[in-house]
Each structure stands twice: as structure tokens, then as C-alpha cells.
Amino acid sequence: MEINPVLKDMGFSATDKVMVIHADDVGITQSSIDAFQELLEFGTISSGSAMVPAPWFPEAAKLFRENPDIDLGLHFVLNCEYESYRWRPVSTMSKESGFVDENGYFKQDKQEVSQTANPSFVTEEIDAQLQVARNLGMKPTHVDTHCGILWAPDYMDAYANFYKKHGILPVLFNIDPDNIDPAIQGAIQAFNMSTEKIAAFAEQKLPMVDSITGLPVEHTHDVDDRLQLAKQILDNVKPGKLTHFAFHPLKDTPESHGLQRYSGGRIGDYEVFMRKELKNHLKEKGIQLVGYKDIIRYM
């Protein structure tokens, strides 16, 4: 069985099941920061990424300054999918950017942004988001992409080159043409991804995950059903491969419900991963957690 070279360098074997369990959207609400911290302490996640344009980002940066050993990256934002909860770009309010609406907010629809955003403005915006994070004392362990927009061909170079430019690892994934993960296949279709570009990044020896999975944010489910779905996903983790599991935990607060979109699923994410049953399931299945801070040491 072929092993992911990153895992081999880290000392894992082809029979080890290894995951990055990753909290997206840290800073979207105050409760997202509490949820991230509590889940780290509970031991059911290993990493997360924060949204610079979101209003609670300074608090997320403060958490990092006070806990510099945590694995916290940046979740690059180029859209804002909420109708009445909005945020703006860091670098510009120009409509020429292609990702700003008539009021200076990020556009809502990710598909529209992936087709209209000007690549040079995209590069400036993600660089500006990094600069804000650094100004607030944060040293991101990695970067990833909100709603997958930076996987679109026109923006993937700016994203993938982040390591060369800034020394920060972008989350990228392998494509095995004989065994494409369904979640990755969905991303390829949604953003017309360039498999040639991904192959070129692999040749540059950039660390890549083999599978991207997670709990569906758009579906609430009963919490017990959500737990069973999480366990089912964990049961299918492949040995010798590096799996990135993304989800969006929030604590149950009035502010969380105020999002008025996907709140139930996000609160369910937190409640599921705070259950001892889920923690025991990880142990029973022999799943070992790593973060991007661990991975970057072997670059």
C-alpha cells in the first residue's frame, strides 16, 4: 500500500490512519472561538482556520497570541454568503475587484465570485488578509479557502504560491485519477479545477492531503443522527492517506442563531465533537490526529 510521503516523513506507516480534524470559520462569531478552543482542549480536533474580515477575528488573533502553540491558520475569504450578516474586503471596496457588491461588501454567491473576481485583486486581498493577521500578532500555521473559491483555475496559482511567497503552507490535495474522493470530485466540478495545475504542485513536493471530507454545514440533522454520520465518515478513513476533515463548530448562543443560515448544523458540529462517544470512537478506530503545524516541520 502506497503511503502519503508527508506521513512517511513524519514516521507513520502505511497502516496508520491519520487525520487533520479542522474547524473552519473561526471568528465568524464569538462562539466559534470558544468552540474551537474547547474542542482543542477536549482532544477531538487538531487544527482550525480564522477569517480575517469577520468581526471577531481580533479575538481569534488574541487567542493565538495567548496560546502560540495552537494550530490556527487563515481561512481566506472572498465572499460572504449571508443575507444580513456581511463583511467587507480588507484591501479594497472597488467593484473592479469582481468580488465586491454595490455597497462594498463581499458578494454572496461563491460561484459568481469564482467567475468574476479579478486575479490581481484576489492576490492583493489574500496578501492583505495575511498582513492584518500578522499586525495582530498571529503567525498562521497554514492557509485554506472559504467556499473553495481559491481552487478555481484563475486563482489557484496565487494560493499555491503562498508557501514560496510567504513560507506558509496552503492546504492542497492530491488527485488520484483511479480513485477520486467524492468531495474532491465535487470541488473539481464546482470550480472547473485544473488537474494539470494540481499535478504541477505535486511535482513541487508541496505537502498534499489525499482526501477532503467533513460534516455538511447546509444540513442540520438531529444531533444523534449527526453523530452517526460523523462516525460513519471516520469509519471510512483510509490507512496510509492523509485526510482533511473540515467542519464548522459553534456553541449554542443567541449570536450563533442570529446567523439565520446553517446555525443548526454548526451548533450540531460542536455538540457532536464534544461527546465522549465521538472521542472514544476516534480511539477505537485507531485514528491519529495531526495539525498543519506538525506537517510544516517536515517541509
Side-chain angles (χ1 to χ4, degrees), residues 91-294:
S91 63
T92 184
M93 289 176 60
S94 171
K95 292 183 68 174
E96 293 181 12
S97 69
F99 48 69
V100 172
D101 68 13
E102 64 274 11
N103 296 312
Y105 294 109
F106 278 120
K107 293 179 179 178
Q108 289 179 258
D109 186 73
K110 63 183 179 183
Q111 295 295 344
E112 179 184 356
V113 171
S114 71
Q115 296 166 10
T116 63
N118 183 308
S120 64
F121 278 88
V122 168
T123 299
E124 291 174 7
E125 176 61 22
I126 61 177
D127 283 349
Q129 290 183 23
L130 171 62
Q131 189 58 55
V132 169
R134 285 176 165 171
N135 290 348
L136 290 175
M138 184 178 166
K139 299 178 180 178
T141 56
H142 63 289
V143 294
D144 58 17
T145 171
H146 183 58
C147 294
I149 291 172
L150 289 172
W151 289 336
D154 287 345
Y155 321 125
M156 187 175 276
D157 285 336
Y159 177 56
N161 288 337
F162 227 71
Y163 181 73
K164 184 185 297 183
K165 187 173 181 179
H166 297 291
I168 301 174
L169 183 67
V171 177
L172 296 164
F173 51 81
N174 283 312
I175 292 181
D176 180 353
D178 298 321
N179 187 25
I180 299 179
D181 181 271
I184 291 177
Q185 181 65 59
I188 292 171
Q189 294 172 343
F191 295 102
N192 191 28
M193 292 179 61
S194 168
T195 55
E196 291 80 7
K197 284 182 180 291
I198 293 174
F201 300 146
E203 290 178 1
Q204 297 174 33
K205 307 301 182 184
L206 288 170
M208 292 190 172
V209 302
D210 299 292
S211 177
I212 294 179
T213 186
L215 291 173
V217 69
E218 67 273 18
H219 299 298
T220 300
H221 300 293
D222 174 87
V223 173
D224 288 334
D225 291 340
R226 203 167 184 84
L227 172 63
Q228 295 308 312
L229 176 59
K231 290 168 71 173
Q232 180 181 340
I233 293 170
L234 296 174
D235 290 345
N236 291 320
V237 171
K238 297 176 182 177
K241 304 298 182 182
L242 180 58
T243 299
H244 177 100
F245 181 106
F247 71 142
H248 306 79
L250 296 181
K251 296 191 70 173
D252 190 350
T253 68
E255 183 193 24
S256 296
H257 287 282
L259 289 176
Q260 298 182 348
R261 187 180 184 190
Y262 306 153
S263 298
R266 291 172 181 268
I267 292 167
D269 282 354
Y270 167 76
E271 293 178 352
V272 164
F273 274 77
M274 280 298 292
R275 287 195 176 186
K276 190 68 175 293
E277 182 178 350
L278 190 283
K279 187 174 184 178
N280 289 340
H281 196 76
L282 285 167
K283 184 176 181 180
E284 290 166 3
K285 295 299 177 179
I287 294 173
Q288 302 181 64
L289 301 188
V290 299
Y292 290 103
K293 193 166 190 174
D294 304 315

Side-chain angles (χ1 to χ4, degrees), residues 32-76:
S32 69
I33 300 169
D34 286 347
F36 171 66
Q37 187 172 17
E38 290 179 20
L39 290 168
L40 278 178
E41 293 171 353
F42 189 60
T44 51
I45 70 172
S46 54
S47 183
S49 56
M51 309 169 81
V52 171
W56 281 95
F57 178 76
E59 183 70 15
K62 179 174 179 284
L63 174 66
F64 184 92
R65 292 195 306 271
E66 294 175 349
N67 303 272
D69 291 331
I70 63 174
D71 193 318
L72 185 62
L74 296 183
H75 197 55
F76 282 142

